[in-house]
Amino acid sequence: MRRGIAQLVAIGVVIALLLTVVAVVFKWLPTSASEEFDRIQAVYWFATVISIGIFALVAAVIVFSVWKWRVPLDDDADGPPIHGHTGLEIAWTAVPAILVIAIGVVSAVVLARNGEAGTRPLEINAIGQQFAWKFVYSDYDDLRSGQLVLPVNQEARFTMTAVDVLHSFWVPNFGQKMDAVPGIETSIIVTPTREGEFQVVCAELCGFGHATMRAKARVVSRAEFDRWIQEQNA
């Protein structure tokens, strides 16, 4: 009995290690460039660890069962009758329920944190239309630009709307996307943490030119952002 349990555990550990290597080595998500995406990735890895544990347990039981209790191909006999195990049934009901609740609680906390705008966020209106983005900086006399420029480590609140059809604002490295809907305002908070150039993508099929509906997003230092504002107003 003990030897069988040890073999089962060994199989589970090997499977878990293989899955961990796959999860860590391969790049599954874009490089984070915002505080909000850092939190989202934390939820992703939290759920991934739980998933690896569950998958390793189930796969280990399957492999062990096939290995230890395989019968000849010509054996058509039914197995011995087995009565239910109350303790085991309670365990495999309670443990998944606890794990699902844990994932839900962590996700709710992150969702609430990502929705906090702080005291003075940079206000930007993102307007989608076939097939371009327009950004209006409300704090700077409604300055309009075809590219998105943000100061690093400064919270920005994007208020989205659309002129014609449904669009979806998405910067993969910021980790969030939000629909831009005609006649309705939606919003997200983004706090960029890494300077560089990124892509604003429309993530909602919006017509023949959907694939070309992109804009440049630049995250720069505060001083460079102030210079850019002055240049646009010149």
Side-chain angles (χ1 to χ4, degrees), residues 68-231:
K68 285 293 186 180
W69 295 308
R70 184 176 53 194
V71 298
L73 294 176
D74 58 351
D75 186 352
D76 296 328
D78 292 333
I82 299 174
H83 187 272
H85 191 291
T86 303
L88 187 59
E89 292 170 0
I90 292 174
W92 71 42
T93 301
V95 171
I98 292 171
L99 294 177
V100 170
I101 291 172
I103 293 174
V105 169
V106 172
S107 300
V109 170
V110 168
L111 186 62
R113 288 285 305 279
N114 283 357
E116 295 175 356
T119 54
R120 282 189 56 83
L122 177 64
E123 298 286 352
I124 301 174
N125 295 327
I127 303 171
Q129 66 180 76
Q130 295 173 315
F131 297 99
W133 291 101
K134 184 69 69 176
F135 304 102
V136 181
Y137 291 77
S138 304
D139 298 330
Y140 296 93
D141 299 324
D142 289 339
L143 170 68
R144 291 175 173 263
S145 174
Q147 68 170 318
L148 176 62
V149 181
L150 297 172
V152 69
N153 298 321
Q154 165 72 53
E155 290 179 334
R157 175 162 46 206
F158 289 87
T159 301
M160 261 82 65
T161 190
V163 174
D164 37 37
V165 299
L166 186 67
H167 301 282
S168 188
F169 174 88
W170 182 38
V171 179
N173 299 90
F174 292 166
Q176 302 179 89
K177 72 182 184 72
M178 178 60 69
D179 286 347
V181 185
I184 298 176
E185 289 188 349
T186 57
S187 65
I188 57 171
I189 307 297
V190 174
T191 310
T193 56
R194 187 163 62 89
E195 295 184 23
E197 291 190 359
F198 310 98
Q199 285 286 327
V200 181
V201 180
C202 178
E204 189 73 39
L205 184 61
C206 58
F208 185 76
H210 164 69
T212 66
M213 188 171 171
R214 296 171 180 264
K216 181 187 293 185
R218 292 196 299 128
V219 178
V220 299
S221 66
R222 184 72 212 192
E224 186 174 347
F225 176 77
D226 291 338
R227 284 196 301 271
W228 179 79
I229 291 292
Q230 292 175 358
E231 291 171 358

Side-chain angles (χ1 to χ4, degrees), residues 9 13 15 29 31 37 42 57 77 86 101 115 117 120 165 192 225 230:
V9 171
V13 169
I15 293 173
L29 297 173
T31 301
F37 198 16
L57 174 61
T86 303
I101 291 172
R120 282 189 56 83
V165 299
F225 176 77
Q230 292 175 358

Side-chain angles (χ1 to χ4, degrees), residues 18-36:
L18 290 174
L19 291 173
T20 301
V21 169
V22 172
V24 172
V25 171
F26 292 95
K27 187 176 178 62
W28 300 102
L29 297 173
T31 301
S32 175
S34 74
E35 288 184 7
E36 292 74 19

Side-chain angles (χ1 to χ4, degrees), residues 1-13 64 67-68:
M1 180 66 177
R2 290 183 178 178
R3 183 181 179 185
I5 293 176
Q7 291 171 333
L8 178 62
V9 171
I11 294 171
V13 169
F64 183 80
W67 172 37
K68 285 293 186 180

